[in-house]
Amino acid sequence: MKRLNILLIGSANSFTNQLIRQFNKEGHRVSLLTGSSLGKQKYPRVFERYDFTYTSNVISEVFKSVSPDVTVFTGAYDGNFSWVDDRSDSVSYISAVMNILSAYSSAENGRFIYISSDAVYHADNDLFYSEEDEVSAGDPRSTALVQAEDICRQFMTDLSTDIVIVRIGGYYHYPKTPHDIDDFISEFCVSYLKNGKVDVADERMIMPLAESDAVFFLSRIVLASTLKYSVYNIASGNAISVSELKEMIADAARLSDYEIPTGERTSPKTTKGGRFAERLKRFYERRADKDIDELNARSTINAFVHLRYPQAMLDAVRFKEEFGINRLTDFGKELDKIVTHMLKHRNRFLSIGSERLSLFDRLKKEFIWLLHIFLPFAENIICFFVFFMLHSNLSGSKNFGSIDFFLIYVLLFAILYGQQQAIFSAFLSTVGFLFAQLSFSNDFSAMLDFSTYVWIAQLFILGLTVGYLKDRLSDQKAEALHDYEHMTQQIDDVRDINESNVRIKDALQTEIINQNDSIGKIYEITSTLDRYESEDVFFHAMDVLRQIMGSDDIALYTVSNSNYARLFSATTEIAGSLGNSIKYKELGELYDMLKDGKPFINRKLQEDMPMMACAIREKEEIRTIIMIWKLPWEKMTLGQASILTVTSMLIQNAVLRAQRFLDIMHSERFIDNTHILRTEAFTSILNTYRKAERHRLTRFTLLRIIPESESELIIDVGNRAAAHLRQDDHLGMGADGNLYILLPNTALKNAEIVMNRLKDYSIHTVAADNVNKGEEQ
């Protein structure tokens, strides 16, 4: 399977994080669009991260930058939408889906996976819902999810895009902190442990699906090369009733020595302080119950959102037939872990939803809000008294009598605050002027003077005009500031995307040129094998595999006949733990994979099997088996297996080249009409094994043949010995004129078996003096 570019869209929560880990484990490159511009959430390692909101204009640029093969939108399980305020979140959700799909369709890249949930079915009974059943919405959240699916179908039909809808039913996960309470099972556990009752009917059936299973099943759809359908349901298929769930929670609670409350409510006690205090307290308690946003601001926990929606059971037959459901987590064990963890930290988990703003905090908040509103009016009134005293004391003055202090006062507040305060200032000025006329001079004629009303009209007209200009200028300034911030944000977004593209380009360039698993690097390493002979090729191939695979535990077996494979080289004792000779056709799944030309990956983590293996073939026949025994979990991917396959094929080319060279040089390497190597050829092979032994790549034993008599020809003894040796043993002439047998990968004590077998045929041998010294240790 090729390495995919996957764009994952979703906020930081357990579901998104598990998807990232799953795709990374499979060896794919994951980029992330968080849906938030804050960029404070923590995620597992991703190739590139984009902190933009779903309504941003640069979403299409993100798609062009990533150029994904598959896009996965977490949708119904996106933590950016809390669904506490259904109607507000519904509008935001539909806008996000529309903008994301528009950006996706404009980029025209790969497949789009939209993740929905069982909430699209307003479950009123215990039926199983298949993909063909008509969806039904009973609340704003369900309506938003149904509309999102309709939008996906519309894009699928009108623009012929590859969009797949995946509904996950009964999803739950292990909540490490109270902030992770965002699924039905977790909310049910908290409510039942806390109150002893849950507002869900006992006969209601639910079908829990563990997060690990949901992520694994979803990854099968995401990574599939072709899909038969455009809509899939994912569910566990194991249904239980709410009453059974309560019993399981109670059993787990008893193991933790916790007694679940009976659910009975005690009547509230009358507080001291009289009826007024009691009514005031009740008033603010009612306000606190309605103020959900305030509650979330204090506790940052959603008040059991998922318990408000009935759980529908999904029929996953379509998914099972195409992909198979070959793993399911034990719900009972997972529930025990969840309950035990919640009770261990009960002070945090069982206090969810019970925190309210105190009376003092609420009064303080409302006082600040009122102060913000009434402060301009307070300033206005204070300034009015100042200008009123100036008018009263200086209106008859020779130098200041011509100054209209009330007009200045109205203009001042019209310029500072706009029309609202200008009208209030004009009203106070009118009252102050008439009060001054009546109180200080007892002149009632001013009430009948036409110029007085002209002056009053002048105040209001001037205040309204200047206030209107002030408001207009303020609006234009705010609009210009908003446009400036918007353009600045767009420039910053474009700059971030450009910097991201530069980083991606540099990373890809580094990967292509320098990375150990790049094709160029693999060829560069394996091409060094071309200058070695047959045995040298295999020994140096072990170093090549060490560099490319990043493992020190590697074994290489050569197939000696149709049933057995002989250990040629093992870098460690662990690598050679299967033994010197194995019946490779009895290795079960490993042989089945190698027989079909596929690499073997030990996904079941069997201790007696290598972590990864592949075969070097010649004319469809297995000639060599490469086994990697220790490998980091993140490298146990199809991508890494493909790298091992490519490497083995390049090694095979070098081996075949060396073998063809030896075939051509056969007459020069062997004594005529024998299987005895000439001195030069045998010395070369012996030096190769000695060098490999020093690098702990193999071990060997060297035997010297002793003729029965001086008249016996060495050639005759050699021909008789060759008939009783193994295929990978080497028989040759030494520099001292004696005949030697080199037994590869054989300890001295095991060599005695060969010596006794040859002795039965009147061929006497002894261990040579220059035998491997390290073997006896």
Side-chain angles (χ1 to χ4, degrees), residues 525-736:
I525 295 173
T526 55
S527 61
T528 60
L529 300 177
D530 291 340
R531 56 178 178 263
Y532 298 110
E533 295 184 358
S534 181
E535 286 77 11
D536 285 337
V537 167
F538 280 126
F539 287 130
H540 284 85
M542 304 297 283
D543 287 332
V544 168
L545 291 168
R546 278 175 173 174
Q547 294 181 56
I548 295 176
M549 300 304 297
S551 174
D552 291 328
D553 300 281
I554 301 174
L556 191 149
Y557 285 82
T558 57
V559 176
S560 56
N561 54 52
S562 60
N563 294 318
Y564 286 88
R566 181 75 180 171
L567 179 64
F568 180 84
S569 177
T571 57
T572 63
E573 291 185 4
I574 295 176
S577 59
L578 287 182
N580 291 339
S581 183
I582 59 173
K583 289 185 177 181
Y584 67 97
K585 291 186 178 181
E586 297 180 0
L587 295 179
E589 183 183 356
L590 186 149
Y591 174 70
D592 293 338
M593 298 295 289
L594 299 185
K595 179 183 64 175
D596 296 335
K598 300 177 182 178
F600 166 76
I601 301 176
N602 187 2
R603 297 191 184 278
K604 298 179 181 179
L605 301 181
Q606 303 176 59
E607 295 183 358
D608 59 342
M609 298 294 283
M611 302 303 289
M612 193 175 291
C614 74
I616 296 178
R617 309 166 71 87
E618 181 180 358
K619 296 180 180 179
E620 302 303 322
E621 295 292 332
I622 298 176
R623 295 302 181 191
T624 306
I625 300 175
I626 298 173
M627 298 183 181
I628 313 295
W629 280 85
K630 280 191 177 181
L631 201 63
W633 173 254
E634 61 270 14
K635 286 194 173 185
M636 289 183 59
T637 63
L638 292 176
Q640 198 72 12
S642 299
I643 291 173
L644 177 59
T645 302
V646 171
T647 305
S648 65
M649 292 175 66
L650 294 174
I651 293 173
Q652 176 188 11
N653 292 336
V655 171
L656 293 177
R657 180 207 57 78
Q659 191 63 48
R660 286 193 296 268
F661 175 77
L662 293 179
D663 292 340
I664 295 173
M665 301 296 294
H666 185 276
S667 60
E668 297 183 11
R669 297 180 74 242
F670 290 89
I671 298 175
D672 294 339
N673 301 319
T674 68
H675 294 285
I676 303 173
L677 289 166
R678 296 181 186 274
T679 302
E680 296 80 4
F682 183 76
T683 302
S684 175
I685 293 175
L686 181 59
N687 291 334
T688 297
Y689 273 89
R690 285 173 174 169
K691 184 178 179 181
E693 182 268 335
R694 287 196 299 270
H695 289 85
R696 296 185 179 182
L697 295 176
T698 190
R699 54 188 176 181
F700 69 92
T701 297
L702 189 65
L703 302 179
R704 180 166 58 85
I705 296 178
I706 303 175
E708 290 185 344
S709 62
E710 295 182 359
S711 62
E712 185 177 18
L713 297 176
I714 293 180
I715 300 299
D716 294 337
V717 177
N719 287 334
R720 287 194 295 117
H724 305 290
L725 295 178
R726 299 169 300 188
Q727 184 177 355
D728 55 348
D729 295 336
H730 300 280
L731 177 65
M733 296 293 297
D736 55 1

